[in-house]
Protein backbone atom coordinates (compact mmCIF):
# COMPACT_ATOMS: atom_id res chain seq x y z
CA UNK A 1 0.00 0.00 0.00
CA UNK A 2 1.36 3.39 -0.93
CA UNK A 3 0.97 5.67 2.10
CA UNK A 4 -0.54 9.09 1.70
CA UNK A 5 2.28 11.52 2.12
CA UNK A 6 1.86 14.28 4.67
CA UNK A 7 3.34 17.42 3.15
CA UNK A 8 4.82 19.51 5.96
CA UNK A 9 5.29 23.27 5.79
CA UNK A 10 8.44 24.37 4.04
CA UNK A 11 10.47 25.00 7.25
CA UNK A 12 9.99 21.38 8.31
CA UNK A 13 11.20 20.17 4.92
CA UNK A 14 14.34 22.22 5.49
CA UNK A 15 14.72 20.51 8.86
CA UNK A 16 15.60 17.19 7.21
CA UNK A 17 19.12 16.33 8.29
CA UNK A 18 19.12 18.92 10.92
CA UNK A 19 19.78 19.26 14.65
CA UNK A 20 22.71 20.02 14.07
CA UNK A 21 22.73 20.76 10.43
CA UNK A 22 20.34 23.58 10.50
CA UNK A 23 20.83 24.59 14.05
CA UNK A 24 21.96 27.99 15.12
CA UNK A 25 24.69 28.23 17.73
CA UNK A 26 24.95 31.66 19.27
CA UNK A 27 28.07 32.57 21.18
CA UNK A 28 28.48 35.62 23.36
CA UNK A 29 31.73 36.97 24.74
CA UNK A 30 31.05 38.54 28.13
CA UNK A 31 33.15 40.86 30.18
CA UNK A 32 36.19 40.43 27.98
CA UNK A 33 36.33 43.84 26.32
CA UNK A 34 37.20 45.44 29.60
CA UNK A 35 40.56 43.68 29.46
CA UNK A 36 41.43 43.78 25.79
CA UNK A 37 40.75 45.99 22.82
CA UNK A 38 37.46 45.67 20.97
CA UNK A 39 39.19 44.34 17.84
CA UNK A 40 41.02 41.64 19.79
CA UNK A 41 37.81 40.61 21.52
CA UNK A 42 35.92 40.32 18.23
CA UNK A 43 38.75 38.27 16.71
CA UNK A 44 38.81 35.90 19.66
CA UNK A 45 35.05 35.51 19.48
CA UNK A 46 35.16 34.69 15.77
CA UNK A 47 37.92 32.13 16.22
CA UNK A 48 36.20 30.43 19.13
CA UNK A 49 32.86 30.39 17.31
CA UNK A 50 34.51 28.61 14.38
CA UNK A 51 36.20 26.08 16.67
CA UNK A 52 33.03 25.24 18.57
CA UNK A 53 30.93 24.97 15.42
CA UNK A 54 33.43 22.56 13.88
CA UNK A 55 33.41 20.49 17.09
CA UNK A 56 29.60 20.21 17.07
CA UNK A 57 29.56 19.39 13.36
CA UNK A 58 32.11 16.63 13.88
CA UNK A 59 29.91 15.15 16.62
CA UNK A 60 26.95 15.19 14.26
CA UNK A 61 29.00 13.47 11.57
CA UNK A 62 29.96 10.77 14.06
CA UNK A 63 26.28 10.07 14.74
CA UNK A 64 25.62 9.80 11.01
CA UNK A 65 28.41 7.24 10.82
CA UNK A 66 26.57 5.21 13.49
CA UNK A 67 23.51 5.12 11.24
CA UNK A 68 25.60 4.12 8.24
CA UNK A 69 27.14 1.35 10.33
CA UNK A 70 23.68 0.00 11.09
CA UNK A 71 22.94 -0.17 7.37
CA UNK A 72 26.05 -2.31 6.96
CA UNK A 73 25.10 -4.37 10.02
CA UNK A 74 21.70 -5.17 8.53
CA UNK A 75 23.22 -5.99 5.14
CA UNK A 76 25.25 -8.88 6.62
CA UNK A 77 22.36 -11.30 7.27
CA UNK A 78 19.21 -9.26 6.55
CA UNK A 79 17.70 -9.93 9.98
CA UNK A 80 17.31 -7.82 13.09
CA UNK A 81 17.05 -9.91 16.26
CA UNK A 82 17.16 -8.71 19.85
CA UNK A 83 20.51 -10.40 20.48
CA UNK A 84 22.14 -8.92 17.40
CA UNK A 85 20.66 -5.48 18.05
CA UNK A 86 22.04 -5.54 21.61
CA UNK A 87 25.50 -6.44 20.32
CA UNK A 88 25.45 -3.53 17.88
CA UNK A 89 24.17 -1.17 20.58
CA UNK A 90 26.78 -2.16 23.16
CA UNK A 91 29.63 -1.36 20.81
CA UNK A 92 28.04 1.87 19.62
CA UNK A 93 27.16 3.20 23.06
CA UNK A 94 30.64 2.40 24.36
CA UNK A 95 32.13 4.82 21.85
CA UNK A 96 29.22 7.30 21.93
CA UNK A 97 28.11 7.65 25.56
CA UNK A 98 26.25 10.87 24.73
CA UNK A 99 23.66 8.88 22.76
CA UNK A 100 20.55 8.49 24.92
CA UNK A 101 19.31 5.40 23.07
CA UNK A 102 19.34 3.38 19.89
CA UNK A 103 16.04 1.98 18.63
CA UNK A 104 14.65 -0.37 16.03
CA UNK A 105 11.31 0.79 14.61
CA UNK A 106 9.71 -1.66 12.15
CA UNK A 107 7.17 -0.28 9.70
CA UNK A 108 3.96 -2.06 10.70
CA UNK A 109 0.77 -2.11 8.63
CA UNK A 110 -2.50 -1.93 10.56
CA UNK A 111 -3.32 -5.51 9.62
CA UNK A 112 -0.01 -6.69 11.11
CA UNK A 113 -0.20 -4.80 14.41
CA UNK A 114 -1.78 -7.58 16.46
CA UNK A 115 0.80 -10.08 15.20
CA UNK A 116 3.64 -7.71 16.10
CA UNK A 117 2.27 -7.27 19.63
CA UNK A 118 1.92 -11.05 20.07
CA UNK A 119 5.47 -11.63 18.83
CA UNK A 120 6.81 -8.92 21.16
CA UNK A 121 5.05 -10.39 24.20
CA UNK A 122 6.52 -13.80 23.44
CA UNK A 123 9.99 -12.33 22.91
CA UNK A 124 10.08 -9.91 25.86
CA UNK A 125 7.99 -11.90 28.32
CA UNK A 126 5.65 -9.12 29.41
CA UNK A 127 2.53 -7.28 28.23
CA UNK A 128 4.05 -5.23 25.43
CA UNK A 129 1.62 -2.71 23.89
CA UNK A 130 1.83 -0.14 21.11
CA UNK A 131 0.69 3.23 22.42
CA UNK A 132 0.66 6.94 21.77
CA UNK A 133 0.33 9.99 24.00
CA UNK A 134 -2.72 12.18 24.37
CA UNK A 135 -2.78 15.96 24.79
CA UNK A 136 -2.17 15.62 28.53
CA UNK A 137 0.86 13.36 28.03
CA UNK A 138 -0.86 10.16 29.16
CA UNK A 139 -0.26 6.86 27.36
CA UNK A 140 -3.30 5.71 25.38
CA UNK A 141 -3.91 2.95 22.80
CA UNK A 142 -2.95 3.94 19.27
CA UNK A 143 -5.67 5.40 17.09
CA UNK A 144 -6.61 3.58 13.87
CA UNK A 145 -4.10 4.32 11.11
CA UNK A 146 -2.94 2.58 7.95
CA UNK A 147 0.49 1.92 9.42
CA UNK A 148 2.50 2.41 12.61
CA UNK A 149 6.09 3.04 13.67
CA UNK A 150 6.40 1.22 17.04
CA UNK A 151 9.62 1.35 19.08
CA UNK A 152 10.32 -2.40 19.16
CA UNK A 153 13.94 -2.67 20.31
CA UNK A 154 15.57 -0.02 22.46
CA UNK A 155 19.01 0.01 24.04
CA UNK A 156 19.87 0.62 26.74
CA UNK A 157 16.52 -0.42 28.15
CA UNK A 158 17.35 1.04 31.57
CA UNK A 159 16.23 4.64 31.60
CA UNK A 160 14.36 4.29 28.33
CA UNK A 161 11.59 1.83 29.26
CA UNK A 162 8.94 4.54 28.96
CA UNK A 163 9.52 4.73 25.18
CA UNK A 164 9.22 0.98 24.56
CA UNK A 165 6.15 0.46 22.37
CA UNK A 166 5.59 4.13 21.52
CA UNK A 167 4.32 4.76 18.00
CA UNK A 168 7.03 7.19 16.88
CA UNK A 169 4.70 8.69 14.29
CA UNK A 170 1.68 9.35 16.48
CA UNK A 171 1.76 13.13 15.91
CA UNK A 172 1.47 14.62 12.40
CA UNK A 173 4.77 16.49 12.65
CA UNK A 174 6.66 13.43 13.92
CA UNK A 175 5.00 11.28 11.28
CA UNK A 176 5.96 13.76 8.55
CA UNK A 177 9.66 13.42 9.41
CA UNK A 178 9.47 9.62 9.22
CA UNK A 179 7.62 9.66 5.92
CA UNK A 180 10.10 12.16 4.50
CA UNK A 181 12.97 9.80 5.36
CA UNK A 182 10.96 6.89 3.94
CA UNK A 183 10.41 8.58 0.59
CA UNK A 184 13.86 10.15 0.17
CA UNK A 185 16.05 7.38 1.60
CA UNK A 186 17.97 9.99 3.59
CA UNK A 187 18.47 10.63 7.27
CA UNK A 188 15.75 12.88 8.68
CA UNK A 189 15.76 14.68 11.99
CA UNK A 190 12.87 15.39 14.34
CA UNK A 191 12.04 18.81 15.61
CA UNK A 192 13.00 19.41 19.27
CA UNK A 193 10.73 17.25 21.43
CA UNK A 194 10.33 16.19 25.03
CA UNK A 195 11.32 12.55 25.05
CA UNK A 196 8.82 10.17 26.63
CA UNK A 197 11.61 8.96 28.93
CA UNK A 198 12.83 12.47 29.85
CA UNK A 199 12.96 13.05 33.61
CA UNK A 200 14.78 16.39 33.50
CA UNK A 201 14.34 19.52 31.41
CA UNK A 202 16.32 18.67 28.30
CA UNK A 203 14.95 18.61 24.79
CA UNK A 204 15.54 15.58 22.65
CA UNK A 205 16.22 15.15 18.95
CA UNK A 206 16.10 11.92 16.91
CA UNK A 207 18.03 11.19 13.73
CA UNK A 208 16.12 8.60 11.68
CA UNK A 209 17.89 6.28 9.23
CA UNK A 210 15.48 4.40 6.92
CA UNK A 211 16.31 0.72 6.37
CA UNK A 212 15.16 -1.02 3.21
CA UNK A 213 15.13 -4.66 2.15
CA UNK A 214 18.40 -4.11 0.32
CA UNK A 215 21.78 -2.74 1.33
CA UNK A 216 21.38 0.77 -0.08
CA UNK A 217 18.20 2.81 -0.58
CA UNK A 218 16.48 2.05 -3.90
CA UNK A 219 16.98 4.53 -6.70
CA UNK A 220 13.38 5.58 -7.20
CA UNK A 221 10.79 6.90 -4.79
CA UNK A 222 8.30 4.22 -5.83
CA UNK A 223 10.81 1.48 -4.99
CA UNK A 224 11.61 3.10 -1.64
CA UNK A 225 7.93 3.27 -0.73
CA UNK A 226 7.50 -0.44 -1.38
CA UNK A 227 10.75 -1.74 0.16
CA UNK A 228 11.03 0.05 3.53
CA UNK A 229 11.23 -2.31 6.51
CA UNK A 230 11.79 0.22 9.28
CA UNK A 231 14.02 2.84 10.87
CA UNK A 232 16.92 2.94 13.25
CA UNK A 233 17.07 6.26 15.10
CA UNK A 234 19.80 7.74 17.22
CA UNK A 235 18.17 9.44 20.20
CA UNK A 236 20.00 12.48 21.58
CA UNK A 237 19.38 14.66 24.60
CA UNK A 238 20.58 18.05 23.42
CA UNK A 239 22.36 19.02 26.63
CA UNK A 240 24.24 15.73 26.92
CA UNK A 241 25.22 15.93 23.27
CA UNK A 242 26.55 19.48 23.58
CA UNK A 243 28.44 18.78 26.81
CA UNK A 244 30.21 15.87 25.09
CA UNK A 245 30.87 17.86 21.91
CA UNK A 246 32.47 20.77 23.78
CA UNK A 247 34.18 18.81 26.56
CA UNK A 248 37.67 19.55 25.24
CA UNK A 249 37.15 23.32 25.10
CA UNK A 250 37.47 26.00 27.74
CA UNK A 251 34.28 28.02 27.34
CA UNK A 252 34.84 30.33 30.31
CA UNK A 253 33.79 33.85 29.42
CA UNK A 254 31.45 32.64 26.66
CA UNK A 255 27.73 32.10 26.75
CA UNK A 256 26.72 29.49 24.20
CA UNK A 257 23.21 28.62 23.15
CA UNK A 258 21.85 26.19 20.60
CA UNK A 259 18.58 26.65 18.73
CA UNK A 260 16.85 25.22 15.70
CA UNK A 261 16.04 28.18 13.39
CA UNK A 262 12.62 26.67 12.68
CA UNK A 263 11.75 26.78 16.39
CA UNK A 264 13.80 29.78 17.57
CA UNK A 265 11.89 30.15 20.83
CA UNK A 266 13.16 26.78 22.06
CA UNK A 267 16.62 26.83 23.63
CA UNK A 268 18.05 23.36 23.05
CA UNK A 269 21.16 24.07 25.07
CA UNK A 270 22.82 26.89 26.94
CA UNK A 271 25.94 26.76 29.06
CA UNK A 272 24.70 29.58 31.29
CA UNK A 273 21.44 30.94 32.57
CA UNK A 274 19.83 32.12 29.33
CA UNK A 275 17.75 34.68 31.22
CA UNK A 276 20.82 36.51 32.49
CA UNK A 277 21.10 40.01 31.00
CA UNK A 278 23.90 40.79 28.61
CA UNK A 279 26.21 43.69 29.35
CA UNK A 280 26.41 46.65 27.01
CA UNK A 281 29.88 45.53 26.00
CA UNK A 282 28.83 42.02 24.96
CA UNK A 283 29.45 40.84 21.43
CA UNK A 284 27.54 38.00 19.81
CA UNK A 285 28.01 35.76 16.81
CA UNK A 286 25.70 33.21 15.24
CA UNK A 287 26.97 30.13 13.40
CA UNK A 288 24.74 27.84 11.38
CA UNK A 289 25.90 24.28 10.81
CA UNK A 290 25.64 22.69 7.38
CA UNK A 291 25.22 19.11 6.28
Amino acid sequence: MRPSRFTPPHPLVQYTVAILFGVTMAIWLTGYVREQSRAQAVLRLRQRADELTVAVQQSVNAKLQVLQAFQAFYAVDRTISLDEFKKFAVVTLTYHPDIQALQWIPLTAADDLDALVARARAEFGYEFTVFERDSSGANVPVAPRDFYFPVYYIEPMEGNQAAHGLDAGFEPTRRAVLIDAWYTGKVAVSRPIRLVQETGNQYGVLLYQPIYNQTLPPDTEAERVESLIGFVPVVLRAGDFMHASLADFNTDGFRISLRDPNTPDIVLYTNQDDTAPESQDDFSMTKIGRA
Side-chain angles (χ1 to χ4, degrees):
M1 176 185 299
R2 182 182 180 87
S4 58
R5 189 173 189 181
F6 175 84
T7 303
H10 181 69
L12 187 56
V13 175
Q14 293 297 312
Y15 197 65
T16 300
V17 193
I19 185 162
L20 308 160
F21 302 118
V23 255
T24 302
M25 185 160 64
I27 303 166
W28 289 268
L29 181 62
T30 58
Y32 191 77
V33 290
R34 299 185 185 89
E35 302 173 11
Q36 297 196 22
S37 71
R38 187 182 187 88
Q40 289 175 319
V42 170
L43 177 61
R44 181 179 180 227
L45 175 61
R46 181 177 294 110
Q47 291 173 336
R48 181 48 56 95
D50 288 340
E51 291 171 353
L52 298 181
T53 301
V54 167
V56 172
Q57 187 68 63
Q58 288 176 337
S59 292
V60 172
N61 292 343
K63 303 307 179 280
L64 291 178
Q65 290 172 0
V66 168
L67 297 175
Q68 292 168 351
F70 190 89
Q71 280 186 303
F73 162 77
Y74 172 72
V76 172
D77 58 14
R78 302 300 178 91
T79 62
I80 299 172
S81 67
L82 178 58
D83 183 58
E84 291 299 322
F85 187 81
K86 283 184 174 182
K87 289 177 181 178
F88 176 83
V90 166
V91 174
T92 300
L93 296 172
T94 297
Y95 290 100
H96 299 275
D98 55 321
I99 292 177
Q100 172 68 20
L102 290 172
Q103 300 173 350
W104 168 239
I105 298 176
L107 173 65
T108 306
D111 291 344
D112 298 327
L113 186 61
D114 288 344
L116 176 132
V117 169
R119 184 171 70 252
R121 290 178 178 180
E123 185 171 14
F124 304 132
Y126 61 85
E127 291 297 299
F128 177 90
T129 60
V130 178
F131 65 92
E132 58 186 70
R133 308 203 95 185
D134 64 16
S135 58
S136 67
N139 294 347
V140 296
V142 287
R145 287 188 280 274
D146 290 338
F147 50 89
Y148 301 91
F149 303 100
V151 177
Y152 192 82
Y153 295 143
I154 185 167
E155 290 294 330
M157 181 63 76
E158 183 177 357
N160 293 295
Q161 299 96 325
H164 196 206
L166 176 71
D167 177 14
F170 75 94
E171 293 178 331
T173 51
R174 298 188 190 210
R175 195 172 184 84
V177 174
L178 288 159
I179 292 176
D180 191 58
W182 180 352
Y183 274 66
T184 63
K186 298 178 181 179
V187 174
V189 183
S190 74
R191 66 170 53 188
I193 60 174
R194 292 291 187 185
L195 299 172
V196 173
Q197 63 268 46
E198 177 62 40
T199 58
N201 296 314
Q202 294 193 49
Y203 279 92
V205 179
L206 289 85
L207 287 73
Y208 292 102
Q209 172 70 58
I211 303 296
Y212 300 90
N213 60 8
Q214 60 187 68
T215 303
L216 296 176
D219 292 332
T220 69
E221 182 177 286
E223 290 173 323
R224 290 191 291 271
V225 168
E226 296 299 326
S227 61
L228 182 81
I229 64 168
F231 297 89
V232 56
V234 165
V235 182
L236 301 173
R237 297 171 79 226
D240 293 349
F241 172 82
M242 289 295 291
H243 282 301
S245 299
L246 304 180
D248 293 334
F249 293 88
N250 180 359
T251 57
D252 292 346
F254 291 88
R255 190 171 78 187
I256 302 167
S257 69
L258 186 71
R259 289 177 170 86
D260 165 37
N262 296 314
T263 53
D265 293 338
I266 294 178
V267 179
L268 290 166
Y269 165 81
T270 180
N271 68 330
Q272 295 183 17
D273 180 2
D274 203 47
T275 63
E278 298 167 24
S279 75
Q280 293 182 348
D281 290 333
D282 287 350
F283 299 112
S284 67
M285 179 170 293
T286 298
K287 303 292 289 186
I288 299 179
R290 300 295 182 188

